[in-house]
Amino acid sequence: MTPTVLVLLGLASVAAILALIIKAKAHPFLALLIVSIALALVAGIPLQDIVPSLVDGMGATLGSVALIVTLGAMLGRIIEVSGGADVLANTLLRRFGPDRAPWALGAAAFIFGVPVFVDVALIVLMPIILSVGRRLQGNMLNYALPTVMGLLTVHVVLPPHPGIVGGAEIMGADVGMVLLLGIVPALLMWLSSQLIVPLVTRRVFSPVPALSTEAQKMMEEDSGQSGQASPSSEKAPSAGLVILMIIIPLVLIMGQTITLMTLPSDSLAVRIFGFIGASPMALLIGVVIATFVLGFRRGWGASHAEEVINSSLPPVAAVILITGAGGTFGHILKETGVAEAVASALSGTGLHILILAWLMAALIRAAQGSATVSTLTTAPLILPITTSMGLEPLQVALVTVTIGIGSMALSHVNDSLFWVWSRYNEVTTANGLKSYTVMTTVVSMIGFGIVMIMWPVVAMIS
């Protein structure tokens, strides 16, 4: 097939995925898988090779992603059930004071959101957000926006979240490098969002929900239906201990990257951190330590610990499957030559690689609503460009971070998080679009500006 036909096939396949998800309300896993098969048939891949290609794409992506996502969910669940999330948020609030409650909530969200999925973390923190709002009154958006921005920022930029991890796997980027580079824009994006919130809340007002609101009832129903194990009656862990549990795997992962970049490859430190700093191993170490420190030492029995860990698994099943299907779609794009043709067409636009990465991710997010799907759909389309440019590993990692940042923009009514956030906080749809959608887009644009500034520095040291 000619490059033009292949490009049209690529565009049609992306459009078909979006149509199935948005219009037909198909599950993203099925949409990605069905379109991958259709693309393989239309592009002329022999029938006997289609299923092996699907398996190869799925297996290559899930080889490490499934481990990272599952272990990250386990760690987050242990922290949640132990009462660590409440302790951390309340401690930050006391230290910041009432006048700086938005900063306290934003900081708690940013820290707690590192190992926990954004929707789960939001629901866990909702009692604290509502409690602070009812105590201080005023505009509910002053408390609701900083929290969701902190959670969403780390969700799209930092491992072990599935979108950025899956994107790194597809791009061939080192997860440790992605984490190391992603911390810079993530922190600055969060700080920027905290400064922008007052500007938004001056124009948009949403009252604080009363105690007996539908949001409170929904929260109690969700808690009861989730099968959440009741926390131990022992004293809750300290905030410092909770933070330590969160940063242990992150330090190990960054240790692997730093030693690999600064020490000889045959040194003992490189070999040790190459083992314990690999993302799955670092998270496994974190889960084991957290189970002992936050669980057994505080009175959990073996059966209770098992219940807590088991309760973390059902929510991640769909995420893992979607991630694997995204890898399958990327593999088919590569096998059919569509990825190379699309990359060639995009390269011909003359746009900078980071502009292409951010813009494509933002547009796909606007069309179908999921940041994870946006990253997993964008990565295989950007990969051939990075390959043809001969980028260094650090540059590839920064491109991956840029894709994640782009997947944050233009979030609106087709995003499930939009509805979870607005319903719990009783924010009207119109006010949600004026606040949540505006904030996600502006903060994503700020992140894009930051990575553009980082690009020459990373290129110089690569």
Side-chain angles (χ1 to χ4, degrees), residues 59-415:
T61 304
L62 292 186
S64 62
V65 171
L67 290 172
I68 294 173
V69 172
T70 302
L71 291 168
M74 289 179 178
L75 177 59
R77 187 63 168 168
I78 293 168
I79 293 172
E80 172 193 341
V81 175
S82 70
D86 289 349
V87 169
L88 181 57
N90 288 329
T91 300
L92 288 170
L93 182 57
R94 286 196 303 271
R95 293 186 178 182
F96 276 77
D99 293 340
R100 294 175 179 167
W103 284 89
L105 291 170
F110 187 91
I111 296 170
F112 184 60
V114 172
V116 185
F117 294 139
V118 61
D119 52 349
V120 175
L122 179 62
I123 293 172
V124 169
L125 293 175
M126 271 311 305
I128 302 168
I129 302 170
L130 291 170
S131 176
V132 171
R134 288 167 185 147
R135 190 192 323 170
L136 302 180
Q137 291 301 310
N139 191 344
M140 187 61 194
L141 294 175
N142 284 324
Y143 319 114
L145 280 174
T147 310
V148 76
M149 286 298 108
L151 294 173
L152 191 53
T153 297
V154 296
H155 177 74
V156 300
V157 177
L158 298 181
H161 291 281
I164 193 68
V165 170
E169 287 295 316
I170 294 171
M171 293 287 293
D174 180 83
V175 174
M177 289 184 181
V178 171
L179 176 61
L180 191 64
L181 292 175
I183 287 176
V184 177
L187 280 171
L188 294 177
M189 288 164 68
W190 170 70
L191 289 171
S192 299
S193 70
Q194 294 289 135
L195 297 173
I196 295 170
V197 164
L199 301 178
V200 174
T201 55
R202 287 174 192 167
R203 298 174 176 272
V204 186
F205 179 83
S206 182
V208 175
L211 183 61
S212 57
T213 61
E214 181 62 28
Q216 182 70 14
K217 293 178 182 178
M218 183 169 63
M219 183 175 63
E220 293 171 355
E221 290 170 1
D222 285 350
S223 176
Q225 293 171 2
S226 64
Q228 177 175 323
S230 58
S232 170
S233 59
E234 297 291 326
K235 184 179 178 181
S238 67
L241 186 60
V242 176
I243 294 174
L244 180 63
M245 294 301 100
I246 293 174
I247 67 173
I248 282 175
L250 303 182
V251 170
L252 292 176
I253 292 171
M254 287 189 289
Q256 180 199 39
T257 301
I258 293 173
T259 54
L260 189 61
M261 294 174 60
T262 58
L263 298 176
S265 59
D266 59 347
S267 68
L268 179 61
V270 170
R271 292 199 298 270
I272 292 175
F273 274 100
F275 175 65
I276 65 174
S279 299
M281 184 58 66
L283 284 167
L284 177 60
I285 292 171
V287 169
V288 172
I289 293 175
T291 302
F292 178 76
V293 174
L294 299 181
F296 295 146
R297 286 191 60 185
R298 299 179 56 253
W300 289 11
S303 60
H304 182 63
E306 182 185 13
E307 289 176 6
V308 172
I309 292 174
N310 282 341
S311 68
S312 70
L313 300 179
V316 304
V319 174
I320 292 174
L321 289 173
I322 293 171
T323 303
T328 297
F329 178 59
H331 186 72
I332 294 297
L333 285 173
K334 180 179 179 182
E335 289 295 307
T336 57
V338 170
E340 289 75 8
V342 171
S344 177
L346 290 174
S347 300
T349 63
L351 293 175
H352 192 280
I353 180 64
L354 295 188
I355 297 177
L356 290 173
W358 182 87
L359 186 60
M360 185 175 294
L363 292 176
I364 292 176
R365 171 63 185 271
Q368 54 77 41
S370 168
T372 299
V373 174
S374 172
T375 299
L376 295 174
T377 305
T378 302
L381 298 176
I382 294 295
L383 174 61
I385 303 178
T386 62
T387 303
S388 64
M389 292 175 65
L391 298 181
E392 296 296 325
L394 269 178
Q395 293 174 306
V396 175
L398 189 59
V399 173
T400 304
V401 170
T402 304
I403 294 173
I405 291 172
S407 73
M408 182 179 183
L410 303 173
S411 175
H412 55 96
V413 294
N414 61 355
D415 177 12

